Every structure is written in structure tokens, then in C-alpha cells.
Amino acid sequence: MAESGLKKSEWAQARFDQLNLIEGKRLAAMSHGRLYQKRVKNAFDKKVRSCRFSEGDLVLKKVSRALKNNRGKWAPNYEGPFVIKKAFSEGALVLANMDEEELPSPVNSDVVKRYYA
């Protein structure tokens, strides 16, 4: 403080003003980040087409790659067709095979695609 030629109170006030400026810049950066995320979301949402499924629709279910398959990359990516027995509002689906036997657990609508016969 003696080197800068400021009194202790003036130095404290200058330091406080600098901290306030930093806080303002931080808030501006946060606001800019939120606006950027909103723009990115809107650009992505333009390309997304929601797919609504209803009971009775035919769908193909993506094959789980957790099980080892000896056919390698030539193994089919989807299995089915399946019939949708029940469609829930959040995207869960209860599927049944063509013999009306329900699958043991519901699946998410992300792992199915519509089957056109």
C-alpha cells in the first residue's frame, strides 16, 4: 500500500470495486452460456422428429449387443416384428410377438422403429 501511494481505505475500496467488476463479468458469462445452450437446443430440436407409437402398431426392436453373436458384423441389427400392446406417455412400450405373447419387460421407444409391411 505504501508502494502504490494509496491509503488503506482507498486501497480496500479499489479492491472491492475490482471484485464487483469480476462478479459482473461472471454473471455476463453465465448469461451468455445460457443463451448459447438455448440456441444449440433450438437448432437440434429443428431436426428431431418425434415418433408417437400407439397400440397395434408394428415395430422392430434393436438387438442388444451385450450377447455375443458368432455372426459378427453380419448379425441383424433389429429383430421382430412386434406388436405394441400398450404405449405409455413417457415412451415406454409393452411389446408382444406375433403370437400375442408379451415380452418379459417393457422397452423404451428409443430402441424401436416402425415396421412397414
Side-chain angles (χ1 to χ4, degrees), residues 10-28:
E10 292 173 349
W11 179 84
Q13 183 62 40
R15 184 75 174 147
F16 183 72
D17 291 342
Q18 288 175 353
L19 290 175
N20 282 338
L21 286 175
I22 290 172
E23 183 69 20
K25 288 181 180 181
R26 186 181 70 82
L27 290 174

Side-chain angles (χ1 to χ4, degrees), residues 54-57 82-88 93-97 100-103:
S54 58
E55 295 176 15
D57 287 349
F82 296 100
V83 178
I84 296 178
K85 293 293 277 186
K86 180 127 175 93
F88 296 99
L93 303 171
V94 175
L95 300 179
N97 60 13
E100 299 296 322
E101 298 172 11
E102 286 188 13
L103 295 182

